[in-house]
Amino acid sequence: MSANTKIVVLRRKELLYTGIFAALGVLFVILLLMLLLPGKAADTSGTPDSPDSTAETAMPDNVADLGRIPQSAQTEDVSTGAVADADAVLDNASGPVGTANTYIPGIYTTELILGSETVNVEVIVNDHAITSLSLADPDETLTTMYPLLEPTMDSLSEQICETQDLSQVTYSAETRYTSLVLL
């Protein structure tokens, strides 16, 4: 019986590297399992799950708060997010009947991007009606590239100021796409 002694030499540096890589491997497997396995992911963002949710959301800066009108009397245009008073009846001489103010008076602008050019659309409103819609300082290159832009805006402005209703706006087949972009 001879004793064969085997001597194993472990270096501290190799043990340290092995331990670090083993810990990183375990951490990687745990993270991979958390990402791939379905779990109880609670939505903590505060956004409602469905459009008919009753949770109150914050109004954007460019939308007027019409809190004085009861929710049952408001109608919302889903395409634009605009809120209008359903009980107000438009009277051309004196504005809406039965309401103090329908709009917050002011000049509102938004930027419209057409290709590589931009143009500002300006809407002027008083307490009771939209008084003017126009293109604010259209560039010469823009009017050259889009020749129907200004005449179409003038036509839409006339109709909107007269009827105060976007659903009653009409346009020809020639200006259909330009009108839709502007609306």
Side-chain angles (χ1 to χ4, degrees):
M1 246 189 163
S2 84
N4 291 334
T5 307
K6 294 183 180 179
I7 300 175
V8 178
V9 178
L10 298 175
R11 295 190 178 128
R12 201 178 321 165
K13 195 186 239 184
E14 290 174 357
L15 286 176
L16 184 65
Y17 288 153
T18 304
I20 290 173
F21 285 128
L24 286 175
V26 168
L27 183 65
F28 179 71
V29 169
I30 290 172
L31 288 175
L32 190 64
L33 288 174
M34 286 175 52
L35 288 174
L36 296 179
L37 292 179
K40 296 179 185 177
D43 186 16
T44 59
S45 64
T47 57
D49 293 334
S50 63
D52 58 357
S53 176
T54 58
E56 189 166 328
T57 57
M59 299 280 287
D61 291 338
N62 61 350
V63 176
D65 182 15
L66 298 176
R68 61 177 174 73
I69 302 172
Q71 287 293 330
S72 61
Q74 290 181 359
T75 57
E76 183 172 349
D77 182 3
V78 178
S79 64
T80 62
V83 177
D85 185 359
D87 294 335
V89 178
L90 186 62
D91 180 10
N92 288 336
S94 63
V97 176
T99 61
N101 292 339
T102 303
Y103 300 110
I104 297 175
I107 300 173
Y108 298 91
T109 60
T110 187
E111 190 174 74
L112 180 63
I113 300 171
L114 300 170
S116 63
E117 299 291 325
T118 60
V119 64
N120 288 327
V121 178
E122 185 176 90
V123 179
I124 301 173
V125 296
N126 63 17
D127 289 350
H128 305 293
I130 300 170
T131 58
S132 170
L133 284 96
S134 63
L135 299 175
D137 302 324
D139 191 15
E140 185 178 320
T141 58
L142 187 73
T143 56
T144 303
M145 289 180 64
Y146 303 99
L148 293 177
L149 195 62
E150 284 184 357
T152 303
M153 187 63 180
D154 293 339
S155 171
L156 293 176
S157 176
E158 263 181 43
Q159 292 180 49
I160 292 170
C161 290
E162 186 176 308
T163 63
Q164 298 293 311
D165 188 8
L166 291 179
S167 64
Q168 295 179 6
V169 173
T170 59
Y171 43 83
S172 66
E174 295 173 337
T175 63
R176 174 179 49 193
Y177 299 115
T178 306
S179 297
L180 291 174
V181 166
L182 290 172
L183 286 172

